[in-house]
Amino acid sequence: MWRDMQNPAFENALENGHSLISKILNDTPAAHKAWIHTESLSLDGNDSGKLQYLKEVLNLTTAPALKPISDSLNLGDCLGQIAEGLRLHQTLLTVVSNLALVKPEEVDGLLYDIRDLLIQVKKMQSQTGVTSAPETQEDLKSQLQKNLAPQLEDEYTSQVAAHLVLLHLRDFSQDVSRSFRSMHSILFPDSDSQTTVALN
Amino acid sequence: MNEMRLLKLIFGCLADINIMKLHWLPVRVMLWSTMCSFTANVKASPCAEIRTLSAVVLSGSPVTASCYIKEDCPLTKRADFRVEWPYKANLSYASVTSHEERVYQILISNLTNMIAMLECAICIHEDCNVVAGMEIKAAYPPPAPRDLTCGLNLTEQYSLLCTWDPGQETSIPTTYKLHTEIRDSAQKFVYIPPPGKHFFRIPRVGFALFNDVQVQVVAENALGRATSEPLVLDPMETAKLDPPEIQTVTAETYECLGLSWSLSKAQKWITRTLHVEIRMKPMSNKVLNREHIISKKSKSGKTVQTCKLLHGMMYQSEMRVRYNSSPWSEWSRPSVATTRMKAPTGRLVTWLKLLGQPANRQYEAELLWKPSLQFRANSMNVSYVVSFVRPPGRKEELCITDQQHCSFSIPVDIKRIHLTAVNTAGKSSPTDVTVYKWKGRDRAINLKAFPVSEESIFTNWSSPKSSAISAYVLEWKALHEGIFTTVSFEIVNKNQSALVFPGLEPYKPYNFSIYPKYKDVIGQPSSVVAYTKEKAPLESPDLKIGDLRPSSIELLWDELPLQKRNGNITSYTVFYWDKKNKTGEAKVTERRVVLKDLSPYSVYSVQLMTSTNGGSVNGSVISVMTPYVDAIEIVLIVIPACVGLALLFLTGITCFSNDKCLKKCLWPMIPDPANSSIKKWTLTDSMQDIPPLKEVKDPVPVHLSHFSLLSLSETELWKGNTPISEYPHCGKWTYTGKSVDEEHSDSSRDSGIYNSGSQSESVPYATVVFANPYRTQPAAPPAYLRSESTQPLLAEEEPSSPQPYEQMATQGTVYGADHFSAVQEDLRREEENESHWVDFPMLQSLEINDINNQG
């Protein structure tokens, strides 16, 4: 089955996806900096323990952890997990940013990148013959909006929610990036080697 | 009030429809009903209203306009009023009968004007008043926008800038809308650019990265809408990426350089494979094929290996990238690295010249070399070692250089030397160079050179027919570079008779030499100087004034430096003119000219023009004044002339006062042969005293076999005749008492001996018989033919007539002897006429001698 994926279209979508996830990872700190002005909330800091209470209060849905691709993990399933996680973060980011008092354009940039990445994942999924699951994000979105709206009226809580969403997005993006690299090295091992050019 | 009018208008429309009969023209019905529905296209005044279907109509289409006269219009109180549409020159329309009271219609069948003004007037008799007016525009629907292009801007705020060509202007306001649709996501967006702008910057939300987006522009105006051709593009394929950065260049393997590169910091997220172009430029002028551009695919952060490079060569690397068909980025900043080095390989082409003859059993020699096609220096810095092996195997180095030529001394017995290329990685195998001696005699080869272009010269030569030439060595060098010029050479086959030298500079002199190469010797060279192209010299030399005289000026100038000649100097032309515009010119090839026939004390302007085959250039004009005739010079000329004239005059007066003396001065006394004795001498003796004839006027040697001298004693000569004191100025005819030998010696030393004044007493006379007469000399008239005359010789002979002794010295003596006998006979016939003897003292002496003999 994997051998079927060794086509240029899949490789193209995979490379595009990797570029976009790299862009998300690259742009997340800038979005965090533009959005989160609470000094104690930093992407680099280890504040998971300190914010545990607010995490529970906010009850932000988290994406399932991506497992390394292997013989035991179907490529289609892996792509499905990625797509699901991306949609989740797209919804979280949308809801939290809509409820927040300020919404910097960097956050919009992240949303557009996630949107574009989802297109690439969809292309990859179509190459695997797996149809993507019906998008139920509207329900999730409305549910989240309903739950979070009263809590995000507090600015600090709103900042913590935004911080946690970006933190989760970064962690998930790192997993996605690793998964893409893994897929590429398995499916297209030759193209990862050094490029050698000879003068004519 | 307006609402009331509107209601009336609507009701009027309805009434109109109600009363319409079925046979009315359906077009009419439609027009009117439509007109009623567009209340906005009503232009009203207190007296009338003009209604049209639309204020903007399609150009060329018919237009119907109605003028509705209001009931309360004061101009219509009289019953005989009428409604007219004032004639417009640019409109053609016709009235249409209206069935509605107080409504007056016209139909414009073909409105082509961009803007038409319709006016409605109420006339009573000839008096018309315009009561309403309306402007109608004729236009077209917008053309479909063309040339829609979009480009992604990957700056901080990503945007997709789309531009299009709106096509022909429609003269009415046109709006544009930009529709984008992200494929595979069904997201659609519409953007409205500002009015009049034909571009729009689509924000990030309106397009996706790495995914096709369809873009369309819709143009719309009052007459219609048009849509451009849809443009489907991946925005990333329109983005011009930033120049990449070459991070490191490594030379891990031979012939290869590894370029580790990445995109700019802002674009490092683009991890997908990109098209890469690498420009490799060797940093050495010696490499002819200098630049390589190679294309490959690579990813940011990876290393691209470029191989098949020269060993030990420093390369400047540059890189640019693009995504698929996107525009190329700018070239990266160059990075320099050197490939791995190897020892030189291959042979060198050599040309060894011995300079002159050996001294101290050593030849001075110059060795030139260049790489053969197979030679590889394999490093940037290579040096060369010239050496020879002296038996039994001792190697001696002649020179070590990094140039491609070397001068040294080699022992005359060395037949072969060796040239080795060396770098830090090793040395090449030696190239053997045979020492060729110069060929002693050789026929020069006729070498000719012709310019082919501004950068090349064609040379050809003819080889001797019977020569054993094995090859030719052609050598050339730029003369304008002075002593630092490098000599180039080419060894060509013996059958070749022409060669083109490319890569030369125009207007610069080059010296070409050809050396014939025989089996074991080198022939004499033939050289020629040539230019690829000539033009006028850069400047003309400065004139220098040499000898300055009242009527002439000598001008000199230096040679023009080679760098300024721009060609072979063919001539110099000196132009000169004075203040009266009297002009002249002198054309010379040497660097000196004398301007003659000038006026003293005059200012002359002089200009030098220097010419080559490519043109001429004038030098600066200098002014020169010829000097006065110098007073001292006048004195030096005039005084000697005056003194000379005075002496001449005095001499003339003195001589003419005593004509006898004059005669004696001017005509020689002829001795009496009868009273002369004959002496003989041998040729050997006589020749001893003869000075070298080269010192005499006639250099022809004299061969005497007989010489006779007739002389009279002093007392016999002058007995009873004019005393010697009567010839105070004629001592040249006097006898000094010298011997004949001495006399002859004197005469041969100086043919003008008679004028010397050294003889004063005797009258010598001689006959010289030549054993070998001068056949080459023209026959002269006999020396004493005048004796046949009864007139004094003074009256017949010219003072400048040749002197007899001088003639005798150059003529055959036979004639002299014969003439002398004739003279003797003539003299006997004239014995009675003694009055004549006074005038001929020598003949008189002969008479005396004859008397003595008889007595």
Side-chain angles (χ1 to χ4, degrees):
Chain A
M1 180 185 172
W2 283 36
R3 203 170 297 157
D4 297 338
M5 301 302 104
Q6 292 171 331
N7 61 65
F10 189 88
E11 184 183 17
N12 198 41
L14 183 58
E15 287 193 1
N16 291 341
H18 189 262
S19 289
L20 287 168
I21 202 67
S22 300
K23 186 173 190 303
I24 292 168
L25 280 168
N26 191 59
D27 292 350
T28 302
H32 189 275
K33 187 177 179 182
W35 197 7
I36 314 299
H37 53 80
T38 305
E39 290 184 1
S40 60
L41 303 175
S42 168
L43 273 181
D44 303 326
N46 185 7
D47 49 13
S48 57
K50 185 176 69 178
L51 298 175
Q52 189 60 39
Y53 172 74
L54 286 176
K55 268 186 189 175
E56 291 173 3
V57 169
L58 290 169
N59 193 24
L60 294 173
T61 311
T62 56
L66 287 177
K67 294 175 185 175
I69 195 163
S70 64
D71 290 338
S72 61
L73 181 65
N74 186 288
L75 181 63
D77 294 343
C78 181
L79 289 171
Q81 287 180 358
I82 290 171
E84 189 182 344
L86 287 173
R87 276 194 288 271
L88 175 63
H89 283 95
Q90 190 180 34
T91 305
L92 280 170
L93 204 56
T94 304
V95 170
V96 173
S97 63
N98 286 342
L99 293 173
L101 295 176
V102 290
K103 183 186 179 186
E105 59 187 15
E106 286 85 351
V107 176
D108 285 337
L110 285 177
L111 285 169
Y112 305 141
D113 291 338
I114 295 170
R115 175 198 66 186
D116 297 347
L117 179 55
L118 275 168
I119 295 172
Q120 300 300 324
V121 174
K122 192 176 173 182
K123 287 181 182 176
M124 285 186 269
Q125 284 179 312
S126 67
Q127 292 293 319
T128 61
V130 177
T131 53
S132 55
E135 297 180 9
T136 55
Q137 295 299 307
E138 286 302 318
D139 295 340
L140 176 64
K141 189 176 175 180
S142 58
Q143 185 67 36
L144 274 173
Q145 201 144 4
K146 185 180 175 184
N147 294 340
L148 290 175
Q151 299 175 53
L152 297 191
E153 288 176 358
D154 174 60
E155 187 180 356
Y156 181 77
T157 313
S158 172
Q159 287 273 292
V160 170
H163 169 72
L164 291 174
V165 168
L166 289 177
L167 201 63
H168 291 167
L169 175 64
R170 187 192 67 177
D171 294 343
F172 180 74
S173 297
Q174 286 170 345
D175 289 344
V176 173
S177 179
R178 272 192 290 271
S179 297
F180 283 162
R181 279 205 301 271
S182 175
M183 285 180 205
H184 199 275
S185 61
I186 292 169
L187 293 170
F188 312 100
D190 296 336
S191 61
D192 278 348
S193 59
Q194 276 190 337
T195 310
T196 302
V197 185
L199 291 177
N200 293 322
Chain B
M1 185 66 185
N2 287 334
E3 290 173 355
M4 286 297 294
R5 281 193 201 125
L6 193 60
L7 285 172
K8 283 180 181 176
L9 186 61
I10 295 168
F11 283 130
C13 291
L14 292 173
D16 190 68
I17 293 168
N18 288 333
I19 63 171
M20 272 195 310
K21 294 181 179 175
L22 293 175
H23 62 269
W24 280 18
L25 292 172
V27 175
R28 203 92 180 275
V29 174
M30 186 182 70
L31 268 175
W32 184 239
S33 59
T34 312
M35 193 188 299
C36 291
S37 64
F38 285 93
T39 55
N41 300 318
V42 175
K43 299 295 178 184
S45 73
C47 216
E49 291 173 357
I50 294 179
R51 305 169 196 158
T52 61
L53 188 64
S54 171
V56 178
V57 297
L58 185 65
S59 183
S61 63
V63 176
T64 301
S66 299
C67 184
Y68 174 74
I69 305 300
K70 297 177 182 175
E71 289 183 358
D72 55 350
C73 176
L75 296 174
T76 61
K77 287 181 179 175
R78 289 181 57 165
D80 56 347
F81 78 92
R82 67 182 192 279
V83 175
E84 287 191 2
W85 297 85
Y87 173 74
K88 296 286 180 182
N90 54 355
L91 283 177
S92 61
Y93 50 80
S95 296
V96 178
T97 305
S98 173
H99 294 277
E100 189 188 5
E101 193 181 354
R102 305 181 77 86
V103 173
Y104 301 88
Q105 291 183 333
I106 56 166
L107 175 65
I108 303 169
S109 57
N110 183 11
L111 182 62
T112 54
N113 301 78
M114 298 290 284
I115 297 174
M117 178 60 76
L118 299 178
E119 289 177 335
C120 176
I122 295 175
C123 302
I124 298 173
H125 302 302
E126 300 301 320
D127 187 15
C128 293
N129 284 292
V130 175
V131 290
M134 186 177 187
E135 189 179 78
I136 299 177
K137 288 184 179 177
Y140 294 94
R146 298 172 297 180
D147 303 331
L148 174 63
T149 56
C150 298
L152 177 61
N153 183 14
L154 287 176
T155 52
E156 196 168 331
Q157 288 187 333
Y158 289 15
S159 61
L160 187 66
L161 176 65
C162 293
T163 60
W164 60 90
D165 177 7
Q168 192 178 5
E169 291 290 334
T170 57
S171 76
I172 55 174
T174 303
T175 59
Y176 295 90
K177 290 180 181 174
L178 200 62
H179 296 256
T180 67
E181 179 184 349
I182 299 173
R183 295 280 176 91
D184 301 319
S185 78
Q187 289 193 48
K188 295 182 181 179
F189 304 90
V190 178
Y191 303 99
I192 300 174
K197 304 295 181 187
H198 303 129
F199 63 88
F200 189 76
R201 209 174 283 278
I202 301 171
R204 175 72 176 88
V205 66
F207 61 93
L209 300 175
F210 299 114
N211 197 62
D212 284 346
V213 176
Q214 179 176 303
V215 183
Q216 266 186 306
V217 179
V218 177
E220 188 172 4
N221 65 12
L223 298 176
R225 58 186 290 176
T227 306
S228 69
E229 287 291 317
L231 173 68
V232 179
L233 73 156
D234 175 0
M236 282 299 292
E237 292 187 352
T238 65
K240 183 178 180 180
L241 300 176
D242 292 342
E245 295 169 4
I246 298 175
Q247 292 164 331
T248 57
V249 183
T250 54
E252 294 177 354
T253 56
Y254 284 113
E255 297 184 316
C256 292
L257 285 176
L259 277 69
S260 175
W261 70 280
S262 71
L263 288 169
S264 66
K265 187 179 177 183
Q267 295 172 0
K268 271 185 181 172
W269 60 268
I270 303 173
T271 58
R272 60 156 303 136
T273 305
L274 300 172
H275 292 279
V276 175
E277 265 193 1
I278 302 167
R279 186 159 65 185
M280 304 293 291
K281 192 187 292 181
M283 304 290 285
S284 171
N285 296 328
K286 296 172 185 173
V287 181
L288 297 177
N289 197 4
R290 292 183 53 73
E291 190 174 289
H292 303 272
I293 293 181
I294 52 173
S295 299
K296 198 62 185 177
K297 287 184 174 180
S298 180
K299 290 181 179 178
S300 176
K302 298 285 183 182
T303 299
V304 181
Q305 290 285 341
T306 55
C307 291
K308 293 190 178 177
L309 303 174
L310 298 172
H311 293 284
M313 177 60 64
M314 183 183 288
Y315 281 94
Q316 175 183 284
S317 312
E318 292 172 294
M319 177 184 277
R320 63 178 183 176
V321 294
R322 72 175 182 181
Y323 170 69
N324 288 349
S325 58
S326 74
W328 282 106
S329 72
E330 297 298 321
W331 289 101
S332 67
R333 287 195 297 177
S335 183
V336 176
T338 305
T339 53
R340 294 186 68 174
M341 201 181 295
K342 283 176 77 174
T345 56
R347 290 178 52 79
L348 294 158
V349 181
T350 59
W351 163 224
L352 176 65
K353 282 191 295 184
L354 299 181
L355 307 175
Q357 296 301 315
N360 298 327
R361 294 190 57 74
Q362 294 270 332
Y363 275 116
E364 289 297 318
E366 183 182 18
L367 180 64
L368 308 169
W369 61 89
K370 61 181 182 178
S372 66
L373 290 175
Q374 295 77 30
F375 181 80
R376 297 287 180 271
N378 292 335
S379 63
M380 293 285 287
N381 298 316
V382 62
S383 58
Y384 301 91
V385 178
V386 182
S387 61
F388 68 92
V389 177
R390 191 186 288 277
R394 186 163 53 89
K395 184 179 177 184
E396 289 190 19
E397 289 183 349
L398 292 167
C399 70
I400 302 172
T401 179
D402 57 355
Q403 304 293 312
Q404 293 192 345
H405 58 89
C406 180
S407 296
F408 44 81
S409 299
I410 50 172
V412 292
D413 56 339
I414 293 299
K415 305 293 184 193
R416 198 176 295 274
I417 61 176
H418 309 288
L419 176 64
T420 309
V422 180
N423 64 16
T424 53
K427 60 183 179 181
S428 69
S429 54
T431 300
D432 292 341
V433 184
T434 305
V435 179
Y436 289 105
K437 306 287 191 298
W438 286 109
K439 188 177 181 184
R441 277 185 164 189
D442 193 20
R443 189 182 299 171
I445 294 170
N446 187 18
L447 178 66
K448 293 177 182 175
F450 311 96
V452 178
S453 67
E454 287 195 3
E455 295 180 343
S456 59
I457 282 181
F458 170 81
T459 59
N460 67 357
W461 58 91
S462 55
S463 58
K465 288 180 180 176
S466 60
S467 68
I469 294 173
S470 61
Y472 293 101
V473 181
L474 278 120
E475 196 181 81
W476 72 98
K477 62 181 176 182
L479 295 177
H480 61 280
E481 293 174 358
I483 58 171
F484 301 106
T485 183
T486 54
V487 180
S488 304
F489 71 96
E490 188 74 41
I491 299 174
V492 299
N493 189 278
K494 65 177 180 180
N495 298 323
Q496 194 169 335
S497 61
L499 189 67
V500 174
F501 295 91
L504 307 179
E505 288 184 62
Y507 317 120
K508 305 293 183 191
Y510 287 89
N511 184 74
F512 299 89
S513 298
I514 185 167
Y515 295 79
K517 198 172 180 180
Y518 297 90
K519 185 183 176 187
D520 51 0
V521 289
I522 294 291
Q524 296 299 321
S526 175
S527 298
V528 65
V529 176
Y531 288 77
T532 57
K533 193 176 180 185
E534 295 187 34
K535 65 177 179 180
L538 201 61
E539 61 185 43
S540 202
D542 292 332
L543 285 170
K544 296 176 182 174
I545 299 167
D547 189 17
L548 196 60
R549 290 177 179 275
S551 62
S552 67
I553 300 171
E554 184 191 32
L555 295 169
L556 310 157
W557 54 91
D558 292 333
E559 199 169 26
L560 203 59
L562 271 172
Q563 294 84 347
K564 296 180 178 177
R565 288 185 199 171
N566 291 335
N568 284 313
I569 303 290
T570 53
S571 66
Y572 298 97
T573 308
V574 175
F575 300 98
Y576 59 97
W577 61 94
D578 60 7
K579 288 187 174 177
K580 297 173 186 173
N581 278 335
K582 185 182 174 186
T583 62
E585 67 175 77
K587 193 170 186 178
V588 293
T589 52
E590 64 270 22
R591 289 180 287 107
R592 175 186 173 276
V593 70
V594 177
L595 307 179
K596 295 177 180 174
D597 301 329
L598 305 180
S599 304
Y601 195 54
S602 298
V603 176
Y604 283 89
S605 298
V606 186
Q607 188 178 32
L608 177 67
M609 182 176 78
T610 308
S611 302
T612 68
N613 290 322
S616 302
V617 66
N618 288 325
S620 55
V621 178
I622 64 167
S623 295
V624 187
M625 177 182 258
T626 50
Y628 280 115
V629 178
D630 193 4
I632 297 171
E633 195 174 341
I634 294 171
V635 169
L636 289 174
I637 294 170
V638 171
I639 290 178
C642 291
V643 170
L645 284 173
L647 286 173
L648 190 66
F649 180 73
L650 287 173
T651 307
I653 292 295
T654 307
C655 290
F656 280 107
S657 63
N658 190 346
D659 62 335
K660 289 180 181 178
C661 178
L662 186 65
K663 288 173 187 174
K664 288 183 183 293
C665 286
L666 299 179
W667 287 274
M669 287 182 296
I670 301 170
D672 184 4
N675 294 312
S676 299
S677 62
I678 294 174
K679 282 191 176 182
K680 291 184 179 179
W681 66 91
T682 62
L683 182 63
T684 308
D685 294 339
S686 65
M687 294 302 284
Q688 285 176 349
D689 296 322
I690 297 173
L693 292 177
K694 286 180 182 177
E695 297 176 8
V696 190
K697 287 184 180 178
D698 191 349
V700 180
V702 179
H703 302 281
L704 296 175
S705 62
H706 171 79
F707 181 80
S708 68
L709 180 69
L710 305 177
S711 63
L712 296 174
S713 66
E714 184 181 345
T715 52
E716 288 171 342
L717 181 60
W718 302 111
K719 187 190 296 180
N721 287 296
T722 306
I724 196 168
S725 60
E726 290 183 22
Y727 304 96
H729 303 295
C730 304
K732 56 189 168 186
W733 286 102
T734 57
Y735 179 59
T736 58
K738 288 181 181 177
S739 68
V740 173
D741 292 345
E742 287 170 339
E743 189 64 36
H744 178 266
S745 175
D746 289 340
S747 65
S748 60
R749 191 181 301 122
D750 185 1
S751 60
I753 188 72
Y754 293 102
N755 298 324
S756 67
S758 60
Q759 300 174 2
S760 59
E761 297 301 326
S762 64
V763 180
Y765 188 79
T767 298
V768 180
V769 179
F770 291 87
N772 186 14
Y774 294 119
R775 298 176 199 280
T776 56
Q777 293 294 329
Y784 298 104
L785 284 180
R786 70 176 182 273
S787 61
E788 295 177 358
S789 174
T790 56
Q791 298 300 320
L793 290 175
L794 181 61
E796 294 179 4
E797 290 287 335
E798 293 294 329
S800 59
S801 62
Q803 296 173 7
Y805 273 59
E806 191 172 355
Q807 287 185 342
M808 288 176 72
T810 58
Q811 293 169 4
T813 54
V814 174
Y815 302 111
D818 292 344
H819 298 156
F820 181 73
S821 301
V823 171
Q824 272 191 318
E825 290 176 9
D826 292 340
L827 289 173
R828 286 192 198 101
R829 282 189 224 112
E830 295 175 1
E831 280 176 352
E832 293 85 7
N833 193 359
E834 289 194 7
S835 64
H836 291 170
W837 294 111
V838 176
D839 295 327
F840 299 94
M842 293 183 73
L843 295 177
Q844 191 179 26
S845 69
L846 292 174
E847 184 192 38
I848 293 167
N849 192 38
D850 189 40
I851 294 168
N852 291 340
N853 289 339
Q854 287 174 0

